Amino acid sequence: MTALDGAFDELSDACATFVPRLVPEEIGIITSLSTGIATISGLPNLGNEELVSFAGDRLGMAFNVDEDEVGLILLCDYQDLHVGDEVRRTGRVMDVAVGKALLGRVLDPLGRPIDSGPPLLAGHRLPVERPAPAIMDRAPVSVPLQTGLKVVDAMIPIGRGQRELILGDRQTGKTAIAIDAILNQRGQNVVCVYCAIGQRASSVAKVIANLRQNGAMEHTVVVVAEGNHAPGLLYVAPYAATSIAEYFMEQGRDVLIVYDDLTQHAQAYRELSLLLRRPPGREAYPGDIFYIHSRMLERSTHLIKELGGGSLTALPIIETDAQDISAYIPTNLISITDGQVYLSPTLFELGVLPAVDVAQSVSRVGSQAQKPAYRAVAGDLKLAYSQFEELETFAKFGTHLDEATRKTINHGQRIRACLKQPQSQPVPVVEQIIVLIALQAGLFDRVSLVRVADGELALRKALSTLAKDLAARLMSEEKLSDGDRKAVVALATAALVSFQPKPDSPLPAKASS
């Protein structure tokens, strides 16, 4: 008897003992279709937010579960679907692949790679909708997340686990601030997730190219739902990105997530809700528009040590119309988040980049998430800058200014000039602190405005002569001592001496500076 005969006998015995089992399967049909939504019937046990499948591996998600019919959000193009097509249950909710394999990849909201790279090998999946950590599972926000932007790190500090809103009119540099924050996390052991919602394909391509050029894709995951995608994909994109970020947070990592932008997300949700005949509210948004954003942003936090001590920092972006920050969606997000960075189109037009309006920006975590060396100088600088902005308005009327007022305006102009920063050039912490100390000491006040940038560059280059132990103390959690301050001032004075006029020369006049 050969081995082939034995295998044949085993196969015959298996066929003889096989008893087919009948498994009931629910099959529904599409009763109506519209842009981005569909109505189906015939799936009586379908659960809320459960995925359903159409022919060709197309997916939809149950959104309105009524007694006689179910309203679906389509996660695919609706042009290839027809009334009467079959619909089947999948038995699972909307989920997304997570894991270290996602780093450096570009994904769609369903977790499928769209960067022409190798197939994604992720052995773990998480639901896109997950409950936020309980209050007792959260730790205080105390560790700073350095953005590399002097104006943000000094005056509007962001902590790991904080939610800081970035808002402003169109084309004022909102995305640039978020991308600079991602670039600055290189080498900081911080995982970044960038979620593009409703953006043009060309804009997303520029962001990805910028991240690759600066070596930031190694620690970044990009989730993309373009403007021409189905509104259902725009709706689920930020939730999918948050689940990806939460995986790393639960592994004890620090994570930064950028939502760019939630205006498009709110508009996509409004479109879906109106098509599914949910009752409209203010500005035609549904009544739960506040809840869909709050339940997502509440997932950003700093976990206690018993849960790994990871953190998830959120930078949601919102677009305002004509500087109206009191509109419905901006006020909702301002009340949800822990502060906001407001970008002024007026400053943008004047060439003050980043165009951060310090007076209307705030961090509700404040100096608790700031290094002591920053705290020693940031308060005085913010007060001096606020006084300068108030006096600057009066000075435009050509009124006669006394000497004290002229010095305040002169000092404020130097602060503004030093806070300017080119895009994609984050400044290290020690260099920021040195510049801020020099500003507080008034060392830039005798430098002409046109030479402030050169003077700042010379000062940053002079850091090579700074003692290593002093640089370590500036980076540490120790308070800035008088001796350290004097050493820094002496270094800055020597670096700026060639940019200052002779001691008997007057201060640069406002008009000629």
Side-chain angles (χ1 to χ4, degrees):
M1 183 176 177
T2 64
L4 184 61
D5 293 335
F8 181 77
D9 291 341
E10 291 181 6
L11 183 61
S12 299
D13 293 341
C15 292
T17 58
F18 174 72
V19 178
R21 291 184 300 171
L22 298 178
V23 179
E25 182 181 10
E26 295 182 16
I27 300 178
I29 60 169
I30 299 177
T31 57
S32 68
L33 271 172
S34 185
T35 305
I37 63 107
T39 304
I40 64 171
S41 62
L43 298 179
N45 296 315
L46 185 67
N48 188 37
E49 296 184 356
E50 182 178 343
L51 288 179
V52 298
S53 63
F54 307 97
D57 293 331
R58 298 179 179 87
L59 296 175
M61 185 174 69
F63 200 57
N64 278 3
V65 182
D66 298 325
E67 185 176 358
D68 300 322
E69 62 182 15
V70 175
L72 298 178
I73 290 178
L74 298 179
L75 304 177
C76 59
D77 292 332
Y78 70 98
Q79 288 88 349
D80 297 328
L81 300 178
H82 305 88
V83 172
D85 286 355
E86 291 185 351
V87 187
R88 285 178 166 80
R89 293 182 61 188
T90 62
R92 63 186 180 94
V93 296
M94 175 72 188
D95 56 13
V96 66
V98 297
K100 294 182 179 179
L102 274 64
L103 292 175
R105 303 302 300 271
V106 182
L107 315 172
D108 69 1
L110 300 178
R112 300 174 300 199
I114 56 176
D115 55 1
S116 67
L120 192 61
L121 300 177
H124 194 47
R125 301 184 72 87
L126 288 178
V128 300
E129 289 277 10
R130 305 180 71 206
I135 296 296
M136 299 304 295
D137 294 338
R138 300 173 184 240
V141 176
S142 57
V143 180
L145 182 104
Q146 302 295 153
T147 64
L149 299 169
K150 290 170 287 186
V151 63
V152 175
D153 292 342
M155 300 188 180
I156 319 154
I158 300 173
R160 298 189 181 186
Q162 187 176 345
R163 299 153 298 178
E164 185 80 6
L165 179 66
I166 301 174
L167 76 163
D169 282 9
R170 182 176 176 273
Q171 296 292 325
T172 52
K174 302 183 296 297
T175 301
I177 284 186
I179 296 303
D180 283 355
I182 292 177
L183 297 182
N184 196 54
Q185 305 316 310
R186 183 181 180 184
Q188 303 296 322
N189 196 27
V190 177
V191 177
C192 300
V193 179
Y194 176 75
C195 180
I197 310 167
Q199 305 296 315
R200 295 191 304 271
S202 59
S203 301
V204 177
K206 288 179 181 178
V207 169
I208 296 173
N210 189 8
L211 294 175
R212 284 207 172 102
Q213 182 180 355
N214 290 278
M217 282 299 289
E218 299 171 1
H219 63 267
T220 304
V221 182
V222 179
V223 180
V224 179
E226 296 176 2
N228 58 350
H229 285 171
L233 290 176
L234 271 64
Y235 169 68
V236 302
Y239 298 101
T242 306
S243 291
I244 293 173
E246 278 182 326
Y247 169 81
F248 293 102
M249 177 182 70
E250 291 167 358
Q251 303 299 311
R253 303 285 299 275
D254 292 313
V255 190
L256 169 65
I257 185 168
V258 174
Y259 304 102
D260 189 11
D261 63 72
L262 293 185
T263 306
Q264 301 290 337
H265 181 248
Q267 291 173 355
Y269 184 67
R270 174 172 62 180
E271 177 183 348
L272 294 169
S273 297
L274 293 177
L275 287 170
L276 289 169
R277 299 186 179 182
R278 291 191 172 189
R282 178 179 167 185
E283 296 182 19
Y285 287 103
D288 61 343
I289 189 69
F290 181 93
Y291 173 63
I292 72 163
H293 285 152
S294 62
R295 75 170 185 252
M296 176 176 66
L297 292 171
E298 280 296 324
R299 294 161 68 178
S300 300
T301 186
H302 180 202
L303 296 177
I304 57 177
K305 291 184 178 179
E306 291 77 4
L307 295 177
S311 67
L312 177 54
T313 307
L315 293 181
I317 297 175
I318 202 78
E319 183 179 308
T320 56
D321 291 327
Q323 307 180 49
D324 184 14
I325 64 174
S326 63
Y328 188 32
I329 301 301
T331 51
N332 277 353
L333 284 160
I334 287 173
S335 62
I336 294 169
T337 52
D338 307 315
Q340 69 272 353
V341 176
Y342 177 68
L343 300 179
S344 168
T346 304
L347 292 176
F348 186 87
E349 292 166 0
L350 292 174
V352 180
L353 301 177
V356 176
D357 188 333
V358 177
Q360 296 195 59
S361 302
V362 65
S363 174
R364 297 190 180 98
V365 173
S367 58
Q368 297 177 17
Q370 205 171 29
K371 291 184 180 297
Y374 275 108
R375 290 199 293 267
V377 295
D380 293 342
L381 285 178
K382 191 168 185 178
L383 178 61
Y385 193 68
S386 300
Q387 293 174 341
F388 154 69
E389 289 186 319
E390 291 182 6
L391 294 173
E392 186 183 35
T393 305
F394 293 101
K396 290 179 180 178
F397 294 106
T399 54
H400 178 70
L401 304 177
D402 57 25
E403 184 65 19
T405 302
R406 192 173 68 85
K407 287 184 177 179
T408 301
I409 293 178
N410 185 74
H411 184 53
Q413 287 175 332
R414 272 67 187 171
I415 296 176
R416 175 182 285 174
C418 281
L419 294 180
K420 290 182 181 179
Q421 193 168 330
Q423 186 177 345
S424 303
Q425 295 183 21
V427 180
V429 172
V430 175
E431 294 183 16
Q432 289 191 37
I433 293 174
I434 297 296
V435 172
L436 295 175
I437 291 176
L439 268 175
Q440 186 192 38
L443 301 182
F444 281 96
D445 290 357
R446 299 183 64 84
V447 179
S448 175
L449 271 180
V450 295
R451 303 196 68 195
V452 167
D454 296 332
E456 180 189 346
L457 184 61
L459 176 57
R460 290 167 57 185
K461 287 182 178 179
L463 283 179
S464 58
T465 62
L466 188 68
K468 292 184 178 180
D469 58 339
L470 176 55
R473 287 196 296 272
L474 294 178
M475 287 285 294
S476 69
E477 298 301 320
E478 299 179 11
K479 290 185 178 180
L480 187 65
S481 66
D482 292 338
D484 290 344
R485 184 190 295 270
K486 290 179 180 177
V488 171
V489 170
L491 173 69
T493 303
L496 295 174
V497 66
S498 61
F499 296 90
Q500 296 179 347
K502 295 179 181 180
D504 56 348
S505 301
L507 285 171
K510 176 177 178 292
S512 61
S513 61

